[in-house]
Amino acid sequence: MMQQPAHSIIVELEDAVAHGPPAKRVRTLRQVTDLFLQDAERFSDEQVKVFDDVLCLLVARVETRARAELSKRLAPVDYAPFEIIQHLAWDDEIAVAGDVLTHSSRLGTDALVKIARTKGQDHLLAISARANLPEIVTDVIVDRGEDKVIRRLANNASARFSDAGYSGIVARAGTDDELVEILGLRIDLPLKLLRELIRRAKDAVLARLLAIAPAAVQDEIRRVLDEIAREAPPATRDFSLAEQLVKLLKDLNELDDAAIFKFIGAGKFDQVAAALAALNDVPTEMMARLLEGPRSDLILIPCKSAGLGWPVVDAILRQRPLPQPTHEATLAVARMDFSKLSRETAQRSVRFWRLHNRIEK
């Protein structure tokens, strides 16, 4: 039953690819897809491979809309041809890749990690909605994702997070009230991170969270609030020695890339923070939070504003104190972004930070 339809389709396919207009290629793609979906559960592995080869050949020669239609049809199919699913998932057009990235069971963890490390925010957004995401994938998304991606990932109840992943996502919540509410409702959030989240949350956000959280979560939040109320205020971090050394170097006109390289090599990131602060006229504490936070992209701004070269910026990103090392793919993206970022734009951003810091005080 399979041999004759497959043979006739392949003959038509060869003609469509070699001589046919785009409309004929699209029509043939639909016919092949229809034929596969009608009887796919009964096909042998060898027969499915025939369809895989045919679809891969056709999909490379049709427009985005036709590829997106194919993705939508095959994404929910557990027995979809393997290679065509990989092909669609790697498509640069999110209209094509999105359905497969979110729904296809034919995408393995390795493929998801590679796509998450190399594709843009739209692809990360699609992966973030996927059921049962493992920790190795969510780690990459937390490292690279922007706010919209992080919120969707946090809203994904079946996504699993490593300790480093959860630490990174909670750190992002410090400036995102919506993310605080989303995380506060997660029943798998470790207690120590719930405490940190509540400490950072605004009163209005806590009030909303207590209003919408299930009873068990409300009780836990109130218990943590009681514990925080009984704690002594945290000691202020002392950067005075680092700032004195940096000021001396600056007065001697020796606060340059070489000096910062020495700080990095010695693991002295208080001095790195003080150096970036002095070069940008901002508080050292602000630079320390930036260096120890999850956003590699934000670190590029004070570095460019200060006129640092890429080698020292690369060293900062690689060796800054984080639970997990920065991925090579993140560093590659950072290098491209650093080269595109103008010093004028970076200095304008730093001036805004400076003003915002004064307003907050």
Side-chain angles (χ1 to χ4, degrees), residues 59 63-72 87-101 123:
V59 81
E63 62 183 7
T64 298
R65 186 165 54 182
R67 300 199 308 277
E69 177 187 324
L70 178 65
S71 177
K72 190 176 292 292
H87 191 102
L88 294 169
W90 278 94
D91 200 295
D92 288 337
E93 296 288 344
I94 192 59
V96 177
D99 282 292
V100 167
L101 290 175
H123 288 66

Side-chain angles (χ1 to χ4, degrees), residues 20-264:
K24 186 172 183 179
R25 293 174 185 172
V26 172
R27 186 168 62 251
T28 305
L29 177 63
R30 286 177 179 149
Q31 289 174 342
V32 172
T33 307
D34 288 343
L35 184 60
F36 174 77
L37 292 176
Q38 284 171 11
D39 293 301
E41 290 180 310
R42 297 202 299 269
F43 291 154
S44 67
D45 290 344
E46 184 179 350
Q47 289 169 332
V48 172
K49 184 65 171 62
V50 171
F51 278 100
D52 213 351
D53 293 341
V54 169
L55 290 171
C56 285
L57 182 61
L58 266 176
V59 81
R61 293 165 173 81
V62 295
E63 62 183 7
T64 298
R65 186 165 54 182
R67 300 199 308 277
E69 177 187 324
L70 178 65
S71 177
K72 190 176 292 292
R73 296 185 71 185
L74 292 182
V77 179
D78 291 336
Y79 43 83
F82 179 80
E83 293 299 335
I84 190 62
I85 291 296
Q86 314 310 304
H87 191 102
L88 294 169
W90 278 94
D91 200 295
D92 288 337
E93 296 288 344
I94 192 59
V96 177
D99 282 292
V100 167
L101 290 175
T102 301
H103 301 295
S104 179
S105 61
R106 299 289 275 166
L107 278 178
T109 298
D110 288 346
L112 290 169
V113 168
K114 289 176 183 176
I115 293 169
R117 284 178 177 168
T118 55
K119 292 293 187 178
Q121 295 299 310
D122 287 339
H123 288 66
L124 289 175
L125 188 68
I127 296 172
S128 296
R130 189 179 176 87
N132 300 313
L133 276 174
E135 295 175 359
I136 192 172
V137 179
T138 58
D139 278 349
V140 178
I141 298 174
V142 171
D143 184 48
R144 295 194 62 225
E146 294 177 356
D147 292 347
K148 185 178 180 181
V149 171
I150 296 299
R151 290 190 204 109
R152 176 175 281 190
L153 181 64
N155 249 325
N156 184 342
S158 66
R160 299 190 297 278
F161 296 90
S162 66
D163 289 343
Y166 252 144
S167 295
I169 206 169
V170 168
R172 298 282 287 272
T175 56
D176 189 335
D177 293 348
E178 183 180 346
L179 183 55
V180 171
E181 292 184 24
I182 295 169
L183 288 171
L185 296 174
R186 288 195 68 103
I187 60 175
D188 58 342
L189 184 68
L191 181 58
K192 65 179 181 179
L193 294 179
L194 179 61
R195 290 194 185 101
E196 183 179 344
L197 189 72
I198 290 173
R199 282 192 178 95
R200 297 181 179 202
K202 299 174 184 175
D203 290 344
V205 176
L206 282 174
R208 286 198 301 272
L209 192 54
L210 284 168
I212 62 177
V217 176
Q218 289 182 24
D219 291 343
E220 189 62 35
I221 292 172
R222 289 192 179 95
R223 190 172 69 79
V224 171
L225 285 171
D226 289 341
E227 288 179 6
I228 293 171
R230 291 193 296 269
E231 291 176 356
T236 303
R237 191 167 171 184
D238 187 4
F239 292 103
S240 58
L241 289 177
E243 290 170 341
Q244 289 173 24
L245 175 59
V246 164
K247 183 179 185 303
L248 177 61
L249 290 173
K250 189 176 182 183
D251 291 343
L252 295 171
N253 288 322
E254 294 180 3
L255 187 58
D256 53 16
D257 288 33
I260 296 175
F261 261 125
K262 289 181 181 178
F263 291 149
I264 297 168

Side-chain angles (χ1 to χ4, degrees), residues 338-356:
F338 189 74
S339 67
K340 294 175 185 175
L341 178 64
S342 70
R343 192 170 183 184
E344 293 75 17
T345 298
Q347 289 173 336
R348 191 159 51 244
S349 298
V350 170
R351 286 196 297 272
F352 173 79
W353 291 352
R354 200 180 298 139
L355 176 63
H356 185 68

Side-chain angles (χ1 to χ4, degrees), residues 277-292:
L279 291 169
N280 287 282
D281 190 25
V282 298
T284 301
E285 184 180 355
M286 177 189 295
M287 286 297 102
R289 288 200 306 268
L290 207 64
L291 289 171
E292 296 164 10

